[in-house]
Amino acid sequence: MPLYLIHRTRDEQRNPFGAHAALVDAANSTAAIAAANALVRGANGIFEGFAVSQVATEAGAAHVNTYFEGDAVNLLGFSRGGAPA
């Protein structure tokens, strides 16, 4: 399955759980949001409205779905506005 990065696009999307991005493998972007939401216990739909970017056509064998506490946008080398960082 493809590998997706789910990340916030605005500072207003920060949440009290500290989960601001996730890296998950899923069949499509809708399933990626659902998988990201399932990672954070006690939260309800915190990744709704976040941006979803496919970062690989297939996740590696050792990949484990995870979420990031903090900003992961710079992993792609782009600023929040989409310009090169």
Side-chain angles (χ1 to χ4, degrees):
M1 283 192 278
L3 187 64
Y4 291 95
L5 176 66
I6 294 91
H7 60 91
R8 61 191 177 85
T9 56
R10 301 178 308 278
D11 282 337
E12 297 82 41
Q13 290 177 305
R14 291 180 183 264
N15 58 65
F17 297 94
H20 303 307
L23 192 61
V24 298
D25 60 337
N28 55 47
S29 58
T30 303
I33 292 285
N37 284 330
L39 291 173
V40 186
R41 290 193 172 103
N44 194 10
I46 62 169
F47 288 106
E48 298 300 325
F50 278 40
V52 180
S53 302
Q54 183 176 337
V55 294
T57 56
E58 188 172 321
H63 170 73
V64 175
N65 289 348
T66 189
Y67 72 90
F68 299 91
E69 293 180 356
D71 196 355
V73 172
N74 286 332
L75 291 174
L76 290 176
F78 289 92
S79 70
R80 199 161 301 293

